[in-house]
Amino acid sequence: MITETTDKLPHFLKFLNERLNVSTTTKPLVIGLVGIQGAGKTTLVNSLIAARPTTTAVFSIDDCYLTHADQVSLASQFPKNKMLQHRGVPGTHDVKQCVDTLTRLVNRDGIVKLPKYDKSKFDGQGDRVDEREWEFIDSSKIDLVVLEGWCTGFTAITQSELAHAVRDGASHATLGQHSLHDLEFINSALKSYSEIWDFFNGFVILDAENESIVYRWRLQQEIELRFKNNGKGMTEEQVKQFVDGYMPCYELYLNNTRLGKGLNLQTGSFLRIITNDNREVVGIQQI
């Protein structure tokens, strides 16, 4: 059932409180949060932290990107794969770093350092922040962990599904621009991400009525980033090229994620928040 509303936070908090109340584990609840770039994930989790400042740990899969040096090395190994020439798609994250961080948080393993990534470094290419600047969390106080990101919860599809999607690539915005071989690398890399998703006790998707709005939303993000970083960041054309690199993954995996496929969640543990082009909520669906 879908209901109409206008504000994300009350429904997000209601969902989290329900999950906390029905949880039978003494370990922190782990929630995955996904949404296309610019959908409002950061704003939502910042509001969550303000509401639960001492018992909530939030970090982004974006903070687990490869270092700039490792990303340059990966790009040089696969020079013809346009999706690997910058950070973003599955295969450009340090999965082990994310798993290790979640493991320590769930086990309440003392003071935990949350990874941090600066997207403005190297003229917008980005790099990991020095560990001395990471956030330190006292995990003994944590009862809720939220992992957010643009591809959180995306799960690999079968070889036949991938081949079929490539054959129909002309009907997609960007999928047809890539070879089956290059997409196979991304799909294969995504299989290891299930080690991260297996931590989830619940999942929330900030969905958009119009996926192509990601171009405008991501440009808005970059303008704000440049303002905060003395003008450093990507140009408008660079932003378009950057988003083009993400779109094949939206086209391949987002529909399955909308259904919670591959996440092995209990009934009631999946929340879909549907927004319009102005990021206003127009529907709520709990599965």
Side-chain angles (χ1 to χ4, degrees):
M1 178 179 180
I2 297 179
T3 57
E4 293 186 355
T5 184
T6 57
D7 188 6
K8 301 180 188 73
L9 184 60
H11 296 277
F12 189 40
L13 288 173
K14 180 175 180 290
F15 173 78
L16 295 177
N17 287 330
E18 287 175 355
R19 295 300 96 212
L20 287 166
N21 289 336
V22 301
S23 176
T24 58
T25 177
T26 58
K27 294 183 176 182
L29 189 74
V30 182
I31 301 293
L33 172 64
V34 70
I36 62 174
Q37 297 154 308
K41 298 183 298 297
T42 301
T43 299
L44 183 60
V45 295
N46 285 343
S47 298
L48 172 65
I49 293 171
R52 310 176 88 253
T54 61
T55 60
T56 302
V58 175
F59 72 106
S60 174
I61 196 169
D62 290 4
D63 289 314
C64 295
Y65 281 130
L66 298 173
T67 64
H68 181 261
D70 286 342
Q71 178 58 47
V72 170
S73 176
L74 178 67
S76 66
Q77 290 177 54
F78 301 93
K80 295 183 179 180
N81 192 328
K82 293 181 287 186
M83 292 174 289
L84 297 179
Q85 299 312 300
H86 51 72
R87 71 175 191 269
V89 298
T92 66
H93 297 90
D94 186 338
V95 172
K96 183 179 183 301
Q97 180 190 53
C98 191
V99 169
D100 288 348
T101 302
L102 285 169
T103 299
R104 292 199 62 197
L105 287 169
V106 167
N107 291 334
R108 294 194 172 101
D109 186 15
I111 302 299
V112 179
K113 294 185 296 183
L114 300 186
K116 187 175 181 181
Y117 190 93
D118 185 346
K119 297 177 181 178
S120 71
K121 287 180 176 290
F122 292 95
D123 296 322
Q125 295 178 33
D127 198 8
R128 197 173 294 174
V129 173
D130 189 289
E131 285 193 30
R132 291 171 295 185
E133 300 178 40
W134 292 8
E135 182 181 1
F136 288 70
I137 293 287
D138 182 355
S139 62
S140 67
K141 300 178 180 179
I142 299 300
D143 66 359
L144 174 64
V145 177
V146 178
L147 176 68
E148 60 97 353
W150 77 274
C151 65
T152 305
F154 284 12
T155 55
I157 57 179
T158 67
Q159 179 67 23
S160 61
E161 289 172 327
L162 182 62
H164 180 76
V166 172
R167 285 196 299 270
D168 293 343
S171 65
H172 297 282
T174 59
L175 191 58
Q177 300 175 16
H178 302 279
S179 70
L180 175 60
H181 177 73
D182 289 347
L183 291 165
E184 283 174 338
F185 179 94
I186 306 302
N187 195 58
S188 179
L190 188 56
K191 294 176 183 178
S192 68
Y193 287 55
S194 62
E195 296 180 47
I196 303 172
W197 315 154
D198 285 346
F199 281 90
F200 296 159
N201 308 113
F203 193 80
V204 178
I205 176 171
L206 293 186
D207 207 356
E209 291 181 310
N210 172 21
E211 293 169 21
S212 64
I213 193 64
V214 66
Y215 287 95
R216 177 159 68 88
W217 285 353
R218 184 59 184 84
L219 180 59
Q220 290 173 349
Q221 281 187 322
E222 194 65 25
I223 291 172
E224 293 176 5
L225 186 64
R226 291 201 303 257
F227 179 78
K228 294 176 181 177
N229 290 283
N230 298 316
K232 294 187 295 183
M234 290 186 285
T235 65
E236 183 171 348
E237 179 58 28
Q238 286 173 326
V239 169
K240 180 185 181 303
Q241 294 175 357
F242 187 72
V243 175
D244 280 348
Y246 288 79
M247 287 303 293
C249 289
Y250 291 136
E251 293 161 2
L252 286 173
Y253 307 116
L254 189 55
N255 280 337
N256 281 348
T257 306
R258 287 184 173 115
L259 301 174
K261 287 188 176 180
L263 295 178
N264 302 316
L265 297 173
Q266 295 180 347
T267 301
S269 298
F270 184 96
L271 179 69
R272 182 183 177 209
I273 303 176
I274 308 163
T275 63
N276 61 20
D277 288 1
N278 295 318
R279 300 184 184 85
E280 298 168 336
V281 178
V282 295
I284 296 290
Q285 183 179 28
Q286 190 164 351
I287 302 172

